[in-house]
Amino acid sequence: MRFSEFSLQPQILQALREMGYEELTPIQEKAIPHVLAGQDLLGVAETGSGKTGACGVPLVQMVDPTLNALQALILVPTRELAQQYVAELAEIARYTDVVPFAVFGGFDMAIQRAKLRDRVHILVATPGRLIDYLWNHALPFSHIRTMVLDEADEMLKMGFIENVDFILSCLLHDHQTLLFSATMPNAVGQLARSYLKDPVRVELNKEQIAPASLAHHFKYIARRDRLKALVTYLREETISQAIIFCNSREGVGRLIQALKQMFQSVELIHGGLEQPQRTSVYNRFRDRSIRLLVATDVAARGLDFTHVSHVINYEFPQSEEVYTHRSGRTGRMGRSGVAMTFVADRELNALQRLLRVNRIDPVWHDRVPSLGREARRPGRKAPGRRAGRRRRRSRSSGTDSAH
Ligand code: AMP
């Protein structure tokens, strides 16, 4: 189905055309008619599916720009997601008079407050910062027609349940509520039961969620060779952009020190960075001035970096869910991507579980470890190192040369 088949404002259709949005993604096809009809909605979908547009397009269409009041409120769990969300809204709304804005921690409240007082129609916020506004400065809710809870499972996991509850309870008048979550744990179900009225449930099946263009590569290594294996991989593989995941900030700190000695264009991101620094790294990675990003899972969840060709699990992910979120940073919207995971002996049990639970068809580089039959069955071997060397030789020298 195409966007042009909806009776959207011509200004919105023009913006969508320029954004390259012609066909709707499955989640957009399922959700947009209900959102436009004013129904409550429970969407089980992850980022990468186009769910920002599934809300963003109808919200921009529904807002009345002649009314200078907040008309839609979107809650997201992290600052980066708030930035990403508002950037997409701004693109959709660029030829209209609809004004989207985001408030999140780490930025000057006075500036944000002035902007809020001036003119904002759609507000994207993290729960903590929004509560600051609710306590300190009256944020008028009376014209809000649509409330969106994005990544509800993540918000609950991050301990925002009371904040979310409080914010929702401040909306006393009749309104539409849209709740999106990648998973449906009990707490999210409860939230939905408390705040959604006869919601339409929109769900993507596994094939629709997991892009077929994502290849799952694994390399069996000795624990002490982890860094060596990574460096070899970074040198031999053709990588346009990669996120390299560690399980802790300390791990990120150690790895970046080593990599900076050998590679150009490598930066780090984790929750301990000051906000301006975090935003700068995020923006530079997005506009591709950074090629290798060493990260904790703060960068795994939800963020949309369209050009990431490789996700590298330098340290083995702590759950199958974390693996899914990390690897979902590549292979986005039909582009091909590789998730490469380094596995040492003590991670083999977790690996077997990962392959089984996530139904992964692994591509092994070099050695295949001995696994239970079930886990090994679908395995394939990657092309040998020679192919890698050939590729490397034929590449022009560039940012990935070590020095
Ligand atoms: P999201 O799941 O909202 O983070 O979207 C994932 C990526 O898909 C983003 O890069 C969007 O810009 C892109 N996208 C969303 N909807 C469409 C569409 N209908 N056509 C093409 N790209 C889209």
Side-chain angles (χ1 to χ4, degrees), residues 154-181:
E154 194 59 14
M155 279 203 268
L156 301 185
K157 227 184 274 166
M158 290 171 76
F160 290 147
I161 179 72
E162 282 173 16
N163 289 354
V164 171
D165 232 11
F166 174 74
I167 293 164
L168 289 171
S169 66
C170 290
L171 276 167
L172 300 172
H173 60 281
D174 203 26
H175 64 277
Q176 173 185 36
T177 307
L178 314 173
L179 188 154
F180 285 88
S181 195

PDB file of all heavy atoms in Angstrom, residues 154-181:
ATOM      1  N   GLU A 154      10.686  -1.141  27.700  1.00  0.00           N
ATOM      2  CA  GLU A 154      11.957  -0.564  28.108  1.00  0.00           C
ATOM      3  C   GLU A 154      11.750   0.477  29.214  1.00  0.00           C
ATOM      4  O   GLU A 154      12.525   0.564  30.153  1.00  0.00           O
ATOM      5  CB  GLU A 154      12.630   0.073  26.880  1.00  0.00           C
ATOM      6  CG  GLU A 154      14.075   0.432  27.047  1.00  0.00           C
ATOM      7  CD  GLU A 154      14.974  -0.742  27.406  1.00  0.00           C
ATOM      8  OE1 GLU A 154      14.545  -1.908  27.281  1.00  0.00           O
ATOM      9  OE2 GLU A 154      16.103  -0.483  27.853  1.00  0.00           O
ATOM     10  N   MET A 155      10.665   1.229  29.101  1.00  0.00           N
ATOM     11  CA  MET A 155      10.404   2.239  30.136  1.00  0.00           C
ATOM     12  C   MET A 155      10.182   1.561  31.488  1.00  0.00           C
ATOM     13  O   MET A 155      10.641   2.034  32.519  1.00  0.00           O
ATOM     14  CB  MET A 155       9.195   3.078  29.759  1.00  0.00           C
ATOM     15  CG  MET A 155       9.590   4.138  28.772  1.00  0.00           C
ATOM     16  SD  MET A 155       8.526   5.532  28.728  1.00  0.00           S
ATOM     17  CE  MET A 155       7.419   5.037  27.467  1.00  0.00           C
ATOM     18  N   LEU A 156       9.473   0.436  31.448  1.00  0.00           N
ATOM     19  CA  LEU A 156       9.228  -0.269  32.698  1.00  0.00           C
ATOM     20  C   LEU A 156      10.539  -0.830  33.243  1.00  0.00           C
ATOM     21  O   LEU A 156      10.833  -0.737  34.425  1.00  0.00           O
ATOM     22  CB  LEU A 156       8.225  -1.405  32.487  1.00  0.00           C
ATOM     23  CG  LEU A 156       6.861  -0.961  31.960  1.00  0.00           C
ATOM     24  CD1 LEU A 156       5.896  -2.124  31.907  1.00  0.00           C
ATOM     25  CD2 LEU A 156       6.274   0.145  32.833  1.00  0.00           C
ATOM     26  N   LYS A 157      11.336  -1.386  32.335  1.00  0.00           N
ATOM     27  CA  LYS A 157      12.612  -1.977  32.744  1.00  0.00           C
ATOM     28  C   LYS A 157      13.525  -0.932  33.358  1.00  0.00           C
ATOM     29  O   LYS A 157      14.295  -1.193  34.262  1.00  0.00           O
ATOM     30  CB  LYS A 157      13.292  -2.594  31.512  1.00  0.00           C
ATOM     31  CG  LYS A 157      13.810  -3.995  31.781  1.00  0.00           C
ATOM     32  CD  LYS A 157      14.561  -4.526  30.591  1.00  0.00           C
ATOM     33  CE  LYS A 157      13.631  -5.182  29.580  1.00  0.00           C
ATOM     34  NZ  LYS A 157      14.295  -5.395  28.286  1.00  0.00           N
ATOM     35  N   MET A 158      13.442   0.288  32.856  1.00  0.00           N
ATOM     36  CA  MET A 158      14.314   1.340  33.372  1.00  0.00           C
ATOM     37  C   MET A 158      13.751   1.969  34.644  1.00  0.00           C
ATOM     38  O   MET A 158      14.287   2.946  35.143  1.00  0.00           O
ATOM     39  CB  MET A 158      14.515   2.406  32.286  1.00  0.00           C
ATOM     40  CG  MET A 158      15.358   1.895  31.141  1.00  0.00           C
ATOM     41  SD  MET A 158      15.398   3.031  29.743  1.00  0.00           S
ATOM     42  CE  MET A 158      16.525   4.291  30.319  1.00  0.00           C
ATOM     43  N   GLY A 159      12.663   1.411  35.141  1.00  0.00           N
ATOM     44  CA  GLY A 159      12.122   1.879  36.412  1.00  0.00           C
ATOM     45  C   GLY A 159      11.254   3.118  36.289  1.00  0.00           C
ATOM     46  O   GLY A 159      11.071   3.855  37.259  1.00  0.00           O
ATOM     47  N   PHE A 160      10.700   3.361  35.118  1.00  0.00           N
ATOM     48  CA  PHE A 160       9.888   4.566  34.912  1.00  0.00           C
ATOM     49  C   PHE A 160       8.406   4.335  35.174  1.00  0.00           C
ATOM     50  O   PHE A 160       7.599   5.217  34.914  1.00  0.00           O
ATOM     51  CB  PHE A 160      10.032   5.086  33.477  1.00  0.00           C
ATOM     52  CG  PHE A 160      11.378   5.672  33.166  1.00  0.00           C
ATOM     53  CD1 PHE A 160      11.924   5.560  31.889  1.00  0.00           C
ATOM     54  CD2 PHE A 160      12.106   6.351  34.136  1.00  0.00           C
ATOM     55  CE1 PHE A 160      13.160   6.101  31.586  1.00  0.00           C
ATOM     56  CE2 PHE A 160      13.349   6.892  33.846  1.00  0.00           C
ATOM     57  CZ  PHE A 160      13.877   6.765  32.565  1.00  0.00           C
ATOM     58  N   ILE A 161       8.045   3.150  35.682  1.00  0.00           N
ATOM     59  CA  ILE A 161       6.615   2.821  35.768  1.00  0.00           C
ATOM     60  C   ILE A 161       5.818   3.855  36.558  1.00  0.00           C
ATOM     61  O   ILE A 161       4.742   4.281  36.127  1.00  0.00           O
ATOM     62  CB  ILE A 161       6.394   1.390  36.331  1.00  0.00           C
ATOM     63  CG1 ILE A 161       4.912   1.033  36.453  1.00  0.00           C
ATOM     64  CG2 ILE A 161       7.073   1.171  37.662  1.00  0.00           C
ATOM     65  CD1 ILE A 161       4.218   0.786  35.173  1.00  0.00           C
ATOM     66  N   GLU A 162       6.381   4.290  37.701  1.00  0.00           N
ATOM     67  CA  GLU A 162       5.615   5.250  38.510  1.00  0.00           C
ATOM     68  C   GLU A 162       5.471   6.589  37.791  1.00  0.00           C
ATOM     69  O   GLU A 162       4.420   7.216  37.830  1.00  0.00           O
ATOM     70  CB  GLU A 162       6.290   5.459  39.866  1.00  0.00           C
ATOM     71  CG  GLU A 162       5.995   4.308  40.786  1.00  0.00           C
ATOM     72  CD  GLU A 162       6.768   4.388  42.082  1.00  0.00           C
ATOM     73  OE1 GLU A 162       7.292   5.472  42.409  1.00  0.00           O
ATOM     74  OE2 GLU A 162       6.840   3.346  42.756  1.00  0.00           O
ATOM     75  N   ASN A 163       6.556   6.991  37.130  1.00  0.00           N
ATOM     76  CA  ASN A 163       6.490   8.247  36.364  1.00  0.00           C
ATOM     77  C   ASN A 163       5.448   8.162  35.254  1.00  0.00           C
ATOM     78  O   ASN A 163       4.656   9.086  35.054  1.00  0.00           O
ATOM     79  CB  ASN A 163       7.847   8.550  35.718  1.00  0.00           C
ATOM     80  CG  ASN A 163       8.884   8.966  36.743  1.00  0.00           C
ATOM     81  OD1 ASN A 163       8.548   9.139  37.907  1.00  0.00           O
ATOM     82  ND2 ASN A 163      10.119   9.109  36.323  1.00  0.00           N
ATOM     83  N   VAL A 164       5.466   7.037  34.535  1.00  0.00           N
ATOM     84  CA  VAL A 164       4.528   6.875  33.420  1.00  0.00           C
ATOM     85  C   VAL A 164       3.096   6.877  33.956  1.00  0.00           C
ATOM     86  O   VAL A 164       2.207   7.542  33.415  1.00  0.00           O
ATOM     87  CB  VAL A 164       4.837   5.560  32.658  1.00  0.00           C
ATOM     88  CG1 VAL A 164       3.749   5.249  31.649  1.00  0.00           C
ATOM     89  CG2 VAL A 164       6.181   5.668  31.959  1.00  0.00           C
ATOM     90  N   ASP A 165       2.911   6.140  35.038  1.00  0.00           N
ATOM     91  CA  ASP A 165       1.603   6.084  35.687  1.00  0.00           C
ATOM     92  C   ASP A 165       1.126   7.480  36.067  1.00  0.00           C
ATOM     93  O   ASP A 165      -0.008   7.872  35.813  1.00  0.00           O
ATOM     94  CB  ASP A 165       1.768   5.270  36.982  1.00  0.00           C
ATOM     95  CG  ASP A 165       0.744   4.174  37.061  1.00  0.00           C
ATOM     96  OD1 ASP A 165       0.070   3.912  36.060  1.00  0.00           O
ATOM     97  OD2 ASP A 165       0.638   3.580  38.150  1.00  0.00           O
ATOM     98  N   PHE A 166       2.051   8.250  36.653  1.00  0.00           N
ATOM     99  CA  PHE A 166       1.699   9.587  37.103  1.00  0.00           C
ATOM    100  C   PHE A 166       1.313  10.472  35.910  1.00  0.00           C
ATOM    101  O   PHE A 166       0.299  11.174  35.939  1.00  0.00           O
ATOM    102  CB  PHE A 166       2.879  10.204  37.871  1.00  0.00           C
ATOM    103  CG  PHE A 166       2.657  11.642  38.250  1.00  0.00           C
ATOM    104  CD1 PHE A 166       1.781  11.966  39.280  1.00  0.00           C
ATOM    105  CD2 PHE A 166       3.296  12.669  37.564  1.00  0.00           C
ATOM    106  CE1 PHE A 166       1.554  13.292  39.616  1.00  0.00           C
ATOM    107  CE2 PHE A 166       3.069  13.996  37.892  1.00  0.00           C
ATOM    108  CZ  PHE A 166       2.196  14.300  38.928  1.00  0.00           C
ATOM    109  N   ILE A 167       2.114  10.402  34.868  1.00  0.00           N
ATOM    110  CA  ILE A 167       1.842  11.252  33.692  1.00  0.00           C
ATOM    111  C   ILE A 167       0.483  10.881  33.085  1.00  0.00           C
ATOM    112  O   ILE A 167      -0.333  11.749  32.777  1.00  0.00           O
ATOM    113  CB  ILE A 167       2.976  11.117  32.652  1.00  0.00           C
ATOM    114  CG1 ILE A 167       4.269  11.710  33.220  1.00  0.00           C
ATOM    115  CG2 ILE A 167       2.610  11.816  31.335  1.00  0.00           C
ATOM    116  CD1 ILE A 167       5.540  11.311  32.492  1.00  0.00           C
ATOM    117  N   LEU A 168       0.251   9.571  32.948  1.00  0.00           N
ATOM    118  CA  LEU A 168      -1.025   9.152  32.348  1.00  0.00           C
ATOM    119  C   LEU A 168      -2.207   9.586  33.223  1.00  0.00           C
ATOM    120  O   LEU A 168      -3.262   9.959  32.719  1.00  0.00           O
ATOM    121  CB  LEU A 168      -1.040   7.636  32.149  1.00  0.00           C
ATOM    122  CG  LEU A 168      -0.109   7.128  31.031  1.00  0.00           C
ATOM    123  CD1 LEU A 168      -0.018   5.614  31.040  1.00  0.00           C
ATOM    124  CD2 LEU A 168      -0.579   7.611  29.670  1.00  0.00           C
ATOM    125  N   SER A 169      -1.985   9.561  34.524  1.00  0.00           N
ATOM    126  CA  SER A 169      -3.100   9.928  35.404  1.00  0.00           C
ATOM    127  C   SER A 169      -3.380  11.436  35.383  1.00  0.00           C
ATOM    128  O   SER A 169      -4.405  11.889  35.879  1.00  0.00           O
ATOM    129  CB  SER A 169      -2.838   9.442  36.837  1.00  0.00           C
ATOM    130  OG  SER A 169      -1.732  10.153  37.341  1.00  0.00           O
ATOM    131  N   CYS A 170      -2.436  12.212  34.830  1.00  0.00           N
ATOM    132  CA  CYS A 170      -2.666  13.662  34.711  1.00  0.00           C
ATOM    133  C   CYS A 170      -3.586  13.993  33.531  1.00  0.00           C
ATOM    134  O   CYS A 170      -4.065  15.116  33.400  1.00  0.00           O
ATOM    135  CB  CYS A 170      -1.354  14.408  34.504  1.00  0.00           C
ATOM    136  SG  CYS A 170      -0.313  14.403  35.945  1.00  0.00           S
ATOM    137  N   LEU A 171      -3.757  13.033  32.636  1.00  0.00           N
ATOM    138  CA  LEU A 171      -4.604  13.278  31.459  1.00  0.00           C
ATOM    139  C   LEU A 171      -6.038  12.884  31.797  1.00  0.00           C
ATOM    140  O   LEU A 171      -6.408  11.718  31.666  1.00  0.00           O
ATOM    141  CB  LEU A 171      -4.108  12.426  30.287  1.00  0.00           C
ATOM    142  CG  LEU A 171      -2.974  13.004  29.475  1.00  0.00           C
ATOM    143  CD1 LEU A 171      -2.378  11.949  28.574  1.00  0.00           C
ATOM    144  CD2 LEU A 171      -3.477  14.159  28.632  1.00  0.00           C
ATOM    145  N   LEU A 172      -6.789  13.845  32.227  1.00  0.00           N
ATOM    146  CA  LEU A 172      -8.105  13.507  32.768  1.00  0.00           C
ATOM    147  C   LEU A 172      -9.202  13.472  31.713  1.00  0.00           C
ATOM    148  O   LEU A 172     -10.193  12.780  31.867  1.00  0.00           O
ATOM    149  CB  LEU A 172      -8.487  14.512  33.872  1.00  0.00           C
ATOM    150  CG  LEU A 172      -7.487  14.528  35.036  1.00  0.00           C
ATOM    151  CD1 LEU A 172      -7.781  15.661  35.989  1.00  0.00           C
ATOM    152  CD2 LEU A 172      -7.477  13.195  35.760  1.00  0.00           C
ATOM    153  N   HIS A 173      -9.000  14.221  30.649  1.00  0.00           N
ATOM    154  CA  HIS A 173     -10.066  14.288  29.648  1.00  0.00           C
ATOM    155  C   HIS A 173      -9.930  13.134  28.650  1.00  0.00           C
ATOM    156  O   HIS A 173      -8.916  12.439  28.606  1.00  0.00           O
ATOM    157  CB  HIS A 173     -10.004  15.638  28.925  1.00  0.00           C
ATOM    158  CG  HIS A 173      -8.703  15.843  28.216  1.00  0.00           C
ATOM    159  ND1 HIS A 173      -7.554  16.215  28.856  1.00  0.00           N
ATOM    160  CD2 HIS A 173      -8.371  15.678  26.921  1.00  0.00           C
ATOM    161  CE1 HIS A 173      -6.574  16.282  27.993  1.00  0.00           C
ATOM    162  NE2 HIS A 173      -7.046  15.949  26.802  1.00  0.00           N
ATOM    163  N   ASP A 174     -10.967  12.989  27.819  1.00  0.00           N
ATOM    164  CA  ASP A 174     -10.996  11.933  26.827  1.00  0.00           C
ATOM    165  C   ASP A 174      -9.867  12.116  25.811  1.00  0.00           C
ATOM    166  O   ASP A 174      -9.663  13.221  25.309  1.00  0.00           O
ATOM    167  CB  ASP A 174     -12.356  12.030  26.106  1.00  0.00           C
ATOM    168  CG  ASP A 174     -12.695  10.702  25.487  1.00  0.00           C
ATOM    169  OD1 ASP A 174     -12.196   9.682  25.999  1.00  0.00           O
ATOM    170  OD2 ASP A 174     -13.425  10.699  24.474  1.00  0.00           O
ATOM    171  N   HIS A 175      -9.133  11.061  25.531  1.00  0.00           N
ATOM    172  CA  HIS A 175      -8.051  11.165  24.544  1.00  0.00           C
ATOM    173  C   HIS A 175      -7.744   9.783  23.992  1.00  0.00           C
ATOM    174  O   HIS A 175      -8.222   8.778  24.504  1.00  0.00           O
ATOM    175  CB  HIS A 175      -6.811  11.789  25.189  1.00  0.00           C
ATOM    176  CG  HIS A 175      -6.229  10.936  26.272  1.00  0.00           C
ATOM    177  ND1 HIS A 175      -6.699  10.944  27.563  1.00  0.00           N
ATOM    178  CD2 HIS A 175      -5.254  10.015  26.244  1.00  0.00           C
ATOM    179  CE1 HIS A 175      -6.020  10.073  28.283  1.00  0.00           C
ATOM    180  NE2 HIS A 175      -5.143   9.490  27.517  1.00  0.00           N
ATOM    181  N   GLN A 176      -6.930   9.775  22.960  1.00  0.00           N
ATOM    182  CA  GLN A 176      -6.512   8.524  22.335  1.00  0.00           C
ATOM    183  C   GLN A 176      -5.148   8.113  22.903  1.00  0.00           C
ATOM    184  O   GLN A 176      -4.291   8.966  23.111  1.00  0.00           O
ATOM    185  CB  GLN A 176      -6.383   8.785  20.828  1.00  0.00           C
ATOM    186  CG  GLN A 176      -5.811   7.678  20.013  1.00  0.00           C
ATOM    187  CD  GLN A 176      -5.617   8.104  18.547  1.00  0.00           C
ATOM    188  OE1 GLN A 176      -5.274   9.265  18.268  1.00  0.00           O
ATOM    189  NE2 GLN A 176      -5.866   7.198  17.634  1.00  0.00           N
ATOM    190  N   THR A 177      -4.963   6.809  23.159  1.00  0.00           N
ATOM    191  CA  THR A 177      -3.663   6.355  23.662  1.00  0.00           C
ATOM    192  C   THR A 177      -3.091   5.278  22.749  1.00  0.00           C
ATOM    193  O   THR A 177      -3.797   4.329  22.390  1.00  0.00           O
ATOM    194  CB  THR A 177      -3.789   5.790  25.104  1.00  0.00           C
ATOM    195  OG1 THR A 177      -4.436   6.764  25.921  1.00  0.00           O
ATOM    196  CG2 THR A 177      -2.425   5.477  25.695  1.00  0.00           C
ATOM    197  N   LEU A 178      -1.825   5.444  22.381  1.00  0.00           N
ATOM    198  CA  LEU A 178      -1.148   4.457  21.534  1.00  0.00           C
ATOM    199  C   LEU A 178       0.038   3.904  22.318  1.00  0.00           C
ATOM    200  O   LEU A 178       0.847   4.680  22.819  1.00  0.00           O
ATOM    201  CB  LEU A 178      -0.632   5.114  20.249  1.00  0.00           C
ATOM    202  CG  LEU A 178      -1.608   6.049  19.523  1.00  0.00           C
ATOM    203  CD1 LEU A 178      -0.900   6.756  18.367  1.00  0.00           C
ATOM    204  CD2 LEU A 178      -2.815   5.268  19.010  1.00  0.00           C
ATOM    205  N   LEU A 179       0.096   2.607  22.464  1.00  0.00           N
ATOM    206  CA  LEU A 179       1.185   2.019  23.242  1.00  0.00           C
ATOM    207  C   LEU A 179       1.982   1.062  22.351  1.00  0.00           C
ATOM    208  O   LEU A 179       1.411   0.151  21.755  1.00  0.00           O
ATOM    209  CB  LEU A 179       0.590   1.281  24.443  1.00  0.00           C
ATOM    210  CG  LEU A 179       1.536   0.736  25.506  1.00  0.00           C
ATOM    211  CD1 LEU A 179       0.817   0.633  26.853  1.00  0.00           C
ATOM    212  CD2 LEU A 179       2.108  -0.603  25.144  1.00  0.00           C
ATOM    213  N   PHE A 180       3.288   1.295  22.262  1.00  0.00           N
ATOM    214  CA  PHE A 180       4.147   0.412  21.472  1.00  0.00           C
ATOM    215  C   PHE A 180       5.158  -0.271  22.382  1.00  0.00           C
ATOM    216  O   PHE A 180       5.716   0.346  23.290  1.00  0.00           O
ATOM    217  CB  PHE A 180       4.917   1.205  20.409  1.00  0.00           C
ATOM    218  CG  PHE A 180       4.044   1.607  19.264  1.00  0.00           C
ATOM    219  CD1 PHE A 180       3.340   2.800  19.306  1.00  0.00           C
ATOM    220  CD2 PHE A 180       3.904   0.797  18.160  1.00  0.00           C
ATOM    221  CE1 PHE A 180       2.522   3.179  18.257  1.00  0.00           C
ATOM    222  CE2 PHE A 180       3.081   1.158  17.096  1.00  0.00           C
ATOM    223  CZ  PHE A 180       2.393   2.344  17.151  1.00  0.00           C
ATOM    224  N   SER A 181       5.366  -1.556  22.132  1.00  0.00           N
ATOM    225  CA  SER A 181       6.314  -2.286  22.948  1.00  0.00           C
ATOM    226  C   SER A 181       6.901  -3.415  22.114  1.00  0.00           C
ATOM    227  O   SER A 181       6.195  -4.007  21.296  1.00  0.00           O
ATOM    228  CB  SER A 181       5.566  -2.860  24.163  1.00  0.00           C
ATOM    229  OG  SER A 181       6.466  -3.276  25.136  1.00  0.00           O
TER     230      SER A 181
END
